[in-house]
Amino acid sequence: MTRVLIADDQALVRTGFTMILKAAGIDVVGQAADGLEAVQLARSLRPDVVLMDIRMPQLDGLEATRRVLADVPETRVIILTTFDLDRYVYAALAAGASGFLLKDVSPEHLAAAVTLVGTGDALLSPSITRRLVQRYARPEGETPVPADLSALTPRELEVFRHVGRGLSNGEIADGLTLSEATVKTHVARIFAKLELRDRAQAVVVAYETGLIRPGD
């Protein structure tokens, strides 16, 4: 059973999400009313997933996400936001969050999203991640985030470029005339070499290293 911590400064949101998740057979192990409490509870409870509001008192969801993932790396974070292109969402993805949900998400989508991320997958579709990155990655005057892609073989670099464009393993296989199993192996090796958590973070890194640029 997926174990979830809900962090939101609105009691009504916490209560509503708790009821929805429990009805779906998901174990809500705790609730936090601010970012500091979220970090403390994540350390002690070690949940599989944290539903993290991006805007909270004491400590915002972005810094709380960084601290949770540093202290409890096996935990995955889903960012909760009112805006589908919130600048902080991009920063949270770059910090290692596995995706985001709008607060008006349907009960069915909420339960499915938590279950998906709890199994180790990324919640965001690559196209949504790509929209965020195109809008917010490498603002004018800001130094690109350094990353060493030299560890990748030419074929892995080619596969990584397609991952950065938001293609699925099947689409990459068709485009490169490879088997889907071979592409899956390449993707796994890329993630291991670059220490990536999932495809959402892979898209962010592809843009920030300049491998992919907005409009490609």
Side-chain angles (χ1 to χ4, degrees):
M1 182 182 293
T2 303
R3 301 172 67 254
V4 179
L5 169 65
I6 298 173
D8 195 291
D9 60 339
Q10 298 181 45
L12 187 59
V13 172
R14 297 196 306 272
T15 300
F17 279 9
T18 296
M19 293 176 61
I20 291 169
L21 294 178
K22 285 186 174 180
I26 295 171
D27 186 15
V28 178
V29 296
Q31 297 184 27
D34 59 60
L36 282 178
E37 188 178 13
V39 174
Q40 293 165 356
L41 288 178
R43 289 169 178 164
S44 61
L45 299 174
R46 308 187 81 83
D48 299 308
V49 177
V50 178
L51 286 175
M52 183 83 74
D53 186 18
I54 199 70
R55 299 176 180 180
M56 290 185 292
Q58 302 289 340
L59 190 70
D60 65 33
L62 175 57
E63 182 58 29
T65 295
R66 291 194 183 108
R67 296 187 189 184
V68 167
L69 295 178
D71 295 343
V72 196
E74 66 273 19
T75 292
R76 292 185 169 255
V77 175
I78 299 174
I79 296 297
L80 295 171
T81 180
T82 309
F83 309 101
D84 67 346
L85 281 179
D86 192 315
R87 182 184 186 88
Y88 294 106
V89 173
Y90 165 73
L93 290 174
S98 293
F100 78 96
L101 285 173
L102 297 180
K103 284 191 176 182
D104 61 359
V105 62
S106 69
E108 296 79 13
H109 190 188
L110 174 65
V114 168
T115 300
L116 177 68
V117 171
T119 63
D121 207 343
L123 173 61
L124 288 181
S125 68
S127 62
I128 295 176
T129 311
R130 197 163 59 246
R131 285 171 57 208
L132 285 164
V133 177
Q134 287 176 345
R135 181 161 177 176
Y136 296 123
R138 297 170 62 178
E140 184 177 354
E142 185 172 297
T143 302
V145 175
D148 185 7
L149 301 183
S150 63
L152 303 183
T153 67
R155 176 61 88 181
E156 288 169 350
L157 199 61
E158 188 175 23
V159 170
F160 187 36
R161 186 175 286 107
H162 286 299
V163 171
R165 291 186 176 121
L167 300 184
S168 67
N169 286 351
E171 290 169 333
I172 295 172
D174 291 341
L176 298 181
T177 319
L178 298 171
S179 71
E180 191 165 345
T182 298
V183 172
K184 186 176 181 180
T185 298
H186 283 312
V187 171
R189 289 175 178 167
I190 292 165
F191 282 19
K193 289 180 178 181
L194 300 182
E195 299 181 353
L196 300 174
R197 293 170 63 90
D198 50 41
R199 295 179 91 93
Q201 195 175 21
V203 175
V204 171
V205 170
Y207 274 93
E208 290 195 327
T209 57
L211 183 66
I212 298 294
R213 296 183 183 278
D216 281 358

